[in-house]
Amino acid sequence: MILLDGKKVSNDIKNEIAEEVRKMKVQGEKVPHLAAIIVGNDGASLTYVASKVKACERVGFESTMVRMSNTTSEIELLDKIEELNQDDDIDGFIIQLPLPKQINTQKVLMAVDPDKDVDGFHPMNFGKMALDMSTFIPATPFGILELLDRYHVETKGKHTVVIGRSHIVGRPMSILMGRKGFPGNSTVTITHSHTKNITQITSQADIIISALGVPNFLKAEMVKDDVVIIDVGITRVVDETSPKGYVITGDVDFENVSKKASFITPVPGGVGPMTIAMLLKNTLLARELRH
Ligand code: GUN
């Protein structure tokens, strides 16, 4: 079994980006600037955004965190988005999801200038991705592709089963794995809450990408020998014995599934760190496209 070490690969990518930034500085060019809007006080979202800001510092990007209260109206958020769209200093920005109930997420994501949409969530960018056009690929799926690429995991002709159809991970991942090229050229099955007899499907999979958010859902009996496992789950499970009072738990029963797998991502330290590295990569791309 080979561990797909997202912590190591994301560090390599950050070093590569830091080197690009260093060259920009030497040439007197403006460094990339990422902004993140966070609405409300969700603990996990605050942690993710703080990690994104820290990663910007690490590679030499400028960053701006925009905090808005839980009672922010849709209009107020749309005004802030327009301000960032118009701000020439900002190369790319994200709106951390989920948003509070009073705000229509689709409407908000459609208000982002597609050229600054480093999350790749705007319908124009999502459509371009589906049509094999060059664009911003959502950071988590992009990170998974990068992991498969850097570990030379064969995807051509393989049966890839995606668990979950979220707009952020499952849906784009199912499109990307079936695209022409590498990583891609897989035969893809997407499963979701209405899928019947999921074990029958997962047990035929060469590659399983699980983005369900149910801790330890995928058991050893559900997979075949030599399967490739990508675990996107990051659920906080209460654990009084840990210093934070919780542990981050994946969708996969790692202890038992890893004994059958050829490649597997750990949680934490697998897909999670890759997401942040690829957001930086998209921001670098946005900066290059704008200048
Ligand atoms: N919430 C969970 N994942 C993501 C992500 O990749 N981007 C944003 N903006 N919000 C998220």
Side-chain angles (χ1 to χ4, degrees):
M1 180 272 289
I2 295 173
L3 209 60
L4 296 167
D5 187 346
K7 204 167 166 188
K8 183 199 169 291
V9 175
S10 69
N11 265 319
D12 293 347
I13 294 169
K14 284 185 206 163
N15 288 338
E16 292 160 19
I17 295 173
E19 178 56 21
E20 293 286 320
V21 174
R22 195 191 61 78
K23 286 186 204 155
M24 285 176 183
K25 281 185 178 161
V26 168
Q27 287 168 2
E29 293 174 11
K30 177 194 170 303
V31 300
H33 186 168
L34 173 71
I37 304 178
I38 176 153
V39 187
N41 302 306
D42 178 64
S45 290
L46 283 166
T47 307
Y48 297 149
V49 172
S51 312
K52 290 171 186 179
V53 168
K54 205 169 133 209
C56 283
E57 282 167 16
R58 150 94 199 272
V59 299
F61 284 9
E62 280 187 59
S63 64
T64 299
M65 173 146 106
V66 181
R67 281 198 71 174
M68 301 182 81
S69 89
N70 203 32
T71 56
T72 301
S73 69
E74 193 174 279
I75 296 284
E76 284 168 323
L77 180 54
L78 291 171
D79 282 348
K80 180 51 79 179
I81 289 169
E82 193 47 31
E83 195 183 309
L84 297 181
N85 283 342
Q86 298 300 332
D87 186 339
D88 213 33
D89 198 60
I90 306 274
D91 296 297
F93 66 98
I94 64 158
I95 300 132
Q96 188 66 27
L97 303 179
L99 289 167
K101 286 188 297 289
Q102 71 275 17
I103 297 173
N104 179 332
T105 302
Q106 284 299 355
K107 201 166 160 185
V108 162
L109 295 179
M110 283 178 72
V112 176
D113 176 348
D115 291 340
K116 293 190 175 188
D117 172 37
V118 286
D119 253 336
F121 292 169
H122 190 285
M124 182 194 279
N125 289 327
F126 203 94
K128 282 184 168 179
M129 175 199 68
L131 296 170
D132 299 332
M133 295 164 75
S134 94
T135 184
F136 301 112
I137 294 174
T140 301
F142 195 10
I144 294 170
L145 294 184
E146 193 72 19
L147 264 185
L148 295 171
D149 185 3
R150 295 203 183 206
Y151 279 88
H152 310 292
V153 177
E154 182 62 271
T155 58
K156 184 170 68 180
K158 301 293 182 188
H159 182 199
T160 294
V161 171
V162 178
I163 307 178
R165 57 181 162 184
S166 74
H167 293 172
I168 297 180
V169 186
R171 187 79 52 85
M173 210 59 235
S174 67
I175 295 168
L176 291 162
M177 291 302 284
R179 293 204 308 185
K180 282 185 183 164
F182 174 75
N185 283 328
S186 264
T187 304
V188 180
T189 302
I190 183 157
T191 67
H192 46 72
S193 50
H194 292 277
T195 298
K196 291 186 179 137
N197 201 352
I198 194 164
T199 297
Q200 192 185 13
I201 297 166
T202 55
S203 61
Q204 290 175 29
D206 301 307
I207 301 170
I208 299 177
I209 300 171
S210 186
L212 191 65
V214 177
N216 296 314
F217 169 80
L218 195 76
K219 307 279 188 222
E221 311 82 81
M222 298 168 73
V223 306
K224 69 177 184 184
D225 283 335
D226 296 327
V227 66
V228 175
I229 299 283
I230 307 290
D231 188 351
V232 192
I234 36 165
T235 310
R236 289 183 174 192
V237 174
V238 175
D239 180 355
E240 306 294 351
T241 65
S242 86
K244 287 183 178 163
Y246 64 85
V247 285
I248 299 291
T249 309
D251 287 353
V252 178
D253 174 6
F254 184 90
E255 190 187 338
N256 296 306
V257 173
S258 61
K259 289 177 187 148
K260 291 176 92 174
S262 55
F263 294 89
I264 186 165
T265 58
V267 175
V271 175
M274 290 301 295
T275 297
I276 295 185
M278 301 323 275
L279 176 65
L280 298 175
K281 204 151 183 171
N282 276 342
T283 306
L284 187 66
L285 179 66
R287 151 76 181 69
E288 281 163 5
L289 292 175
R290 282 168 38 77
H291 293 274

